Amino acid sequence: MTPDIRLVAVDIDGTFMRSNYTYDVPRFERLLARMREAGCNFVVASGNQYWQLRDHFPGHEDELCFVAENGAYVTDRGELVYVCSMPEETVSAVVDLCRDYADEVWNVLCGMEGAYCERGAVTEEFFTEMRRYCHRLSWVDDFKATGDQILKFAANVPDERTDFFYDLFRRELDGLVEPTTSGHGAIDLITPGCHKASGLARLAERWGISPEQCVAFGDGGNDVEMLRFCGIGYAMDNAPDDVKAAADRVCPSNDEDGVLVALDELFA
């Protein structure tokens, strides 16, 4: 066992979850008990919605910590620690730019109370598919009038145009939002400086631990900051080369239960 590890952070898609969106629950629960005995907190750090992330861990929701929405929503065992909401002017500017590319940019607007699709802007099929990632998802008539605190935009663009739109968002919305992508047509637009590593830093400060006592696992571009922040950063074997370059170690792929394999070694 490695006694000085006090925080383990895992991304979900492509990292903790297998491709079929399952994980080895009994094995995880045994590891969770060992981590608890070692005084280590388990943190789910994802771009996904808090309500969806909780649902992956039935029975453990209030003993885990969540850095959701790429760092914009942070909880510590059921207690809300931090929320980073976008100013109305920022939301308006992003909506206006995306409407200029309405045929290619399909958005999910992510807020405190839930996520939203704009009626008429996307298809019913898209809405249904997004419910896999947003367990609280509803229709609104206008993104500028949800009445919710907005945490981020989850933009979906054609795969082959990911780089084009990443560069467009970075150029046209500079200073307002920061684009981050895990590839495959998914681009999150988040508040600058608000990312998974900033969420982990808030928890580490709250618990009085150092980055050297933290371990992180990830597979995408939005995991790079936390892989660099933590004393040990693991890239999944299925991660692209630039993510592996940001990590200290590489573990087996998500479909080989790489996170659990590595945790079994760290908490033997």
Side-chain angles (χ1 to χ4, degrees):
M1 187 175 73
T2 309
D4 56 340
I5 297 175
R6 293 288 177 262
L7 183 160
V8 168
V10 301
D11 172 51
I12 287 292
D13 295 317
T15 298
F16 187 76
M17 290 289 189
R18 301 167 184 148
S19 297
N20 63 3
Y21 240 57
T22 65
Y23 65 96
D24 187 334
V25 175
R27 186 178 186 182
F28 167 71
E29 290 186 337
R30 290 194 297 271
L31 277 163
L32 189 62
R34 299 214 301 261
M35 283 187 277
R36 195 182 301 118
E37 287 172 17
C40 178
N41 288 299
F42 187 79
V43 182
V44 180
S46 171
N48 290 355
Q49 183 187 59
Y50 169 69
W51 308 106
Q52 182 244 35
L53 298 175
R54 279 176 57 98
D55 288 348
H56 293 319
F57 302 94
H60 300 287
E61 306 95 322
D62 291 330
E63 52 186 291
L64 303 183
C65 307
F66 295 90
V67 173
E69 307 285 15
N70 273 322
Y73 194 100
V74 181
T75 70
D76 178 357
R77 288 160 290 203
E79 182 183 347
L80 183 61
V81 172
Y82 177 74
V83 173
C84 179
S85 55
M86 292 181 173
E88 285 184 18
E89 315 84 73
T90 297
V91 173
S92 185
V94 176
V95 169
D96 287 343
L97 177 63
C98 291
R99 283 176 179 166
D100 290 340
Y101 297 87
D103 291 342
E104 293 184 281
V105 181
W106 288 13
N107 263 311
V108 177
L109 192 59
C110 304
M112 273 277 293
E113 301 302 324
Y116 310 93
C117 284
E118 200 170 46
R119 201 174 270 108
V122 298
T123 63
E124 290 279 356
E125 290 78 13
F126 176 81
F127 181 88
T128 301
E129 172 64 18
M130 289 302 103
R131 295 198 78 153
R132 176 180 174 186
Y133 306 102
C134 304
H135 290 185
R136 285 192 183 184
L137 182 65
S138 55
W139 289 105
V140 290
D141 291 322
D142 184 353
F143 271 164
K144 297 183 183 181
T146 64
D148 199 354
Q149 290 184 65
I150 302 308
L151 308 178
K152 73 165 193 186
F153 285 76
N156 294 264
V157 303
D159 276 17
E160 68 278 5
R161 298 268 279 166
T162 305
D163 290 342
F164 168 83
F165 280 106
Y166 178 87
D167 292 337
L168 174 82
F169 291 142
R170 191 171 56 180
R171 183 176 67 250
E172 297 295 328
L173 300 169
D174 183 43
L176 295 177
V177 298
E178 194 172 300
T180 181
T181 180
S182 51
H184 313 296
I187 303 174
D188 280 355
L189 303 175
I190 61 179
T191 299
C194 182
H195 42 60
K196 295 181 185 182
S198 69
L200 295 184
R202 292 178 197 284
L203 291 174
E205 182 179 2
R206 178 179 171 90
W207 300 331
I209 65 175
S210 69
E212 289 71 35
Q213 294 172 294
C214 303
V215 176
F217 295 82
D219 76 304
N222 63 345
D223 298 315
V224 167
E225 290 94 349
M226 76 169 181
L227 294 177
R228 289 176 172 155
F229 171 80
C230 292
I232 305 174
Y234 282 88
M236 311 307 291
D237 192 47
N238 49 287
D241 289 342
D242 60 325
V243 176
K244 290 177 179 175
D248 304 291
R249 303 177 186 176
V250 176
C251 66
S253 74
N254 63 316
D255 284 325
E256 298 170 289
D257 296 340
V259 170
L260 301 182
V261 169
L263 290 179
D264 260 327
E265 295 171 357
L266 292 173
F267 297 91

